[in-house]
């Protein structure tokens, strides 16, 4: 029988958790010395067992307790040492969290939706994969129309169930045809979105963004068109001195058709919108196409052109963004270069609002 005081002293002097574990195995493990003593109890006479049993059990309990206590002491000492060694400097600046930005096109689309919402226009959307009836025929562009040519439009190899040719929409006008058919008149909508043309050079990308607007009501005339576009351009460019010049033009879907220019002045070599384009150092820049909706298009939308009239307009979102925010290369819009985005992008929480309101007198 080992000397209990000596065993307890040995446990108390164990320097590491590993050393405690070695002692535990030596004393209480399967082949351990105390386990061996317990086995001898079975071979003793009852008298011997009455005498030796309590001693052996007391030894086992004392050792078990001592091992647990030494283990706890060593563990808490290790924790104390770690806490003393490790420090956190709460005054250090936090590392910068990488933050994305809103693409100028998304920002400008939001701004346009905001301006037109104030004028009572809802946002309409539709499929980017269209059939040739919604994209061309309904817009008074017959089979022979040059814009339908293979080299301008991306066609799919197969027709749809109705036997119509399928293509990537070349403008957002089909959205407005669908809205006329689905919602009827009166109607006030804008249709922003991606459009596709087989075109690629310094000023054209095969995918670009357009916004069109459509108003259908009774007694709508060119005066409504002019006021709406002037109010829109003043709000969008955030200037009260925007001057419009309307020029006669031609689109198959409008009659009459009107091209809209805005006056600008050159400041440090950059075009700044505002004032008459006829002023010294100024010029006119085309920003919109528009017109009174062709009677055939009203009829294609399922409405009676003798009862309903309307005006429509269209413009490129990418170009509006370049004009308002001063980028000079269209292709950089779609390169996905994070450096360009961190320069020209907008903070996600910088939500466009019309602080001045639309249509407030200058
Ligand atoms: C431009 C010119 C324009 C329209 C788009 C339109 C739509 C319907 C009916 C009539 Cl449903 N017109 N859209 C009208 C005139 C011009 O866009 O230069 N776009 C980039």
């Amino acid at each position: 029988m080992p000397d209990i005081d000596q065993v307890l002293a040995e446990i108390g002097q164990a320097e590491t958790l590993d050393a405690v574990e070695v002692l535990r195995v030596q004393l209480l493990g399967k082949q351990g010395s105390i386990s061996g003593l317990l086995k001898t109890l079975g071979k003793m006479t009852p008298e011997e067992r009455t005498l030796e049993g309590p001693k052996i059990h007391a030894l086992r309990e004392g050792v078990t307790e001592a091992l647990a206590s030494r283990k706890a002491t060593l563990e808490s000492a290790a924790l104390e040492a770690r806490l003393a060694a490790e420090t956190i400097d709460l005054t250090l600046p936090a590392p910068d969290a990488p933050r994305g930005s809103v693409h100028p096109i998304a920002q400008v689309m939001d701004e346009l939706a905001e301006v037109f919402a104030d004028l009572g226009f809802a946002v309409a959307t539709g499929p980017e994969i269209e059939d040739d009836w919604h994209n061309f025929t309904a817009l008074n562009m017959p089979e022979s129309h040059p814009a339908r040519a293979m080299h301008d439009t991306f066609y799919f190899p197969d027709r749809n169930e109705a036997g119509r040719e399928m293509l990537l929409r070349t403008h957002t006008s089909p959205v407005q045809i669908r809205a006329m058919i689905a919602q009827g008149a009166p109607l006030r909508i804008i249709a922003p979105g991606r459009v596709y043309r087989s075109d690629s050079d310094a000023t054209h990308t095969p995918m670009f963004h357009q916004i069109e607007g459509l108003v259908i009501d009774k007694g709508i005339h060119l005066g409504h068109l002019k006021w709406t576009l002037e109010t829109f351009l003043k709000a969008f460019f955030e200037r009260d001195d925007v001057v419009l010049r309307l020029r006669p033009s031609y689109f198959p879907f409008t009659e009459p058709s009107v091209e809209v220019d805005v006056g600008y002045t050159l400041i440090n070599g950059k075009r700044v919108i505002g004032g008459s384009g006829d002023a010294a150092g100024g010029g006119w820049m085309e920003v919109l196409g528009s017109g009174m909706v062709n009677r055939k298009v009203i009829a294609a939308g399922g409405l009676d052109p003798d009862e309903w009239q309307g005006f429509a307009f269209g413009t490129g979102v990418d170009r509006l963004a370049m004009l308002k925010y001063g980028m000079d290369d269209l292709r950089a819009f779609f390169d996905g270069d994070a450096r360009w985005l961190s320069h020209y992008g907008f903070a996600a929480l910088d939500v466009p609002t019309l602080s001045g309101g639309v249509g407030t007198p200058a």
Side-chain angles (χ1 to χ4, degrees):
M1 180 115 156
D3 176 47
I4 184 152
D5 292 331
Q6 197 189 320
V7 172
L8 294 182
E10 220 177 306
I11 294 171
Q13 283 155 20
E15 287 295 340
T16 64
L17 288 165
D18 283 344
V20 173
E21 178 60 12
V22 167
L23 283 171
R24 189 193 65 78
V25 172
Q26 277 174 15
L27 296 161
L28 301 174
K30 254 198 181 117
Q31 315 289 330
S33 51
I34 294 176
S35 310
L37 283 174
L38 282 164
K39 280 177 211 153
T40 63
L41 284 172
K43 294 169 199 142
M44 290 179 189
T45 63
E47 293 74 27
E48 282 174 324
R49 203 179 297 135
T50 315
L51 195 70
E52 294 300 320
K55 288 195 221 160
I56 297 172
H57 281 290
L59 175 65
R60 193 189 61 167
E61 266 161 47
V63 164
T64 304
E65 218 169 273
L67 285 167
S69 138
R70 185 63 189 156
K71 192 176 170 205
T73 305
L74 289 172
E75 277 173 348
S76 86
L79 180 63
E80 290 297 331
R82 256 189 74 191
L83 288 174
E86 291 178 9
T87 55
I88 299 171
D89 185 351
L90 294 173
T91 66
L92 277 176
D96 239 355
R99 219 174 310 166
S101 62
V102 176
H103 195 285
I105 291 173
Q107 174 78 14
V108 165
M109 291 235 210
D110 287 350
E111 292 174 8
L112 293 166
E114 185 84 26
V115 170
F116 280 106
D118 224 37
L119 294 169
F121 287 67
V123 173
T125 57
E128 291 178 23
I129 297 173
E130 264 295 0
D131 59 67
D132 73 327
W133 187 86
H134 288 93
N135 194 79
F136 291 128
T137 316
L139 288 146
N140 192 32
M141 296 163 90
E143 302 277 330
S144 60
H145 198 278
R148 287 188 177 232
M150 291 290 288
H151 60 262
D152 286 330
T153 304
F154 294 110
Y155 286 93
F156 288 87
D158 299 322
R159 292 173 184 259
N160 70 0
E161 319 81 61
R164 289 176 180 163
E165 286 218 83
M166 299 302 286
L167 46 82
L168 290 177
R169 69 182 184 195
T170 59
H171 44 192
T172 59
S173 314
V175 174
Q176 319 208 78
I177 298 294
R178 289 177 181 278
M180 270 196 269
I181 292 168
Q183 298 170 43
L187 195 63
R188 261 191 273 186
I189 51 166
I190 52 167
R194 280 195 264 260
V195 299
Y196 303 84
R197 288 182 202 174
S198 184
D199 224 347
S200 193
D201 58 39
T203 53
H204 298 86
T205 49
M207 185 280 303
F208 58 103
H209 300 80
Q210 208 198 14
I211 180 168
E212 289 201 10
L214 176 69
V215 170
I216 306 271
D217 211 326
K218 293 184 176 174
I220 294 291
H221 54 71
L222 266 179
H224 297 118
L225 179 155
K226 189 183 179 221
W227 181 88
T228 303
L229 296 184
E230 187 174 313
T231 304
F232 147 55
L233 291 167
K234 284 180 175 174
F236 177 73
F237 287 112
E238 298 174 43
R239 294 185 70 113
D240 285 321
D241 63 346
V242 173
V243 179
L244 271 59
R245 184 176 76 173
L246 273 52
R247 281 180 293 110
S249 184
Y250 174 79
F251 299 109
F253 25 85
T254 46
E255 182 60 36
S257 300
V258 176
E259 251 155 343
V260 181
D261 302 335
V262 292
Y264 66 84
T265 343
L266 280 179
I267 295 174
N268 299 326
K270 283 218 167 195
R271 294 173 175 193
V272 177
I273 308 274
S276 166
D278 292 329
W284 296 101
M285 190 168 22
E286 186 191 323
V287 290
L288 286 157
S290 65
M292 301 307 296
V293 181
N294 190 302
R295 290 173 58 86
K296 291 184 189 169
V297 176
I298 301 232
L303 299 170
D304 178 359
D306 288 328
E307 192 182 352
W308 301 101
Q309 296 76 44
F311 69 83
F313 55 90
T315 187
V317 176
D318 317 85
R319 237 172 63 85
L320 284 185
M322 290 169 82
L323 264 177
K324 184 165 175 179
Y325 294 113
M327 306 86 170
D328 45 24
D329 187 358
L330 175 68
R331 288 169 298 185
F333 274 65
F334 311 119
D335 279 350
D337 187 329
R339 293 166 303 178
W340 186 88
L341 275 169
S342 73
H343 182 78
Y344 286 112
F346 292 81
L349 295 177
D350 184 8
V351 177
T353 53
L354 289 173
S355 49
V358 143
T360 43

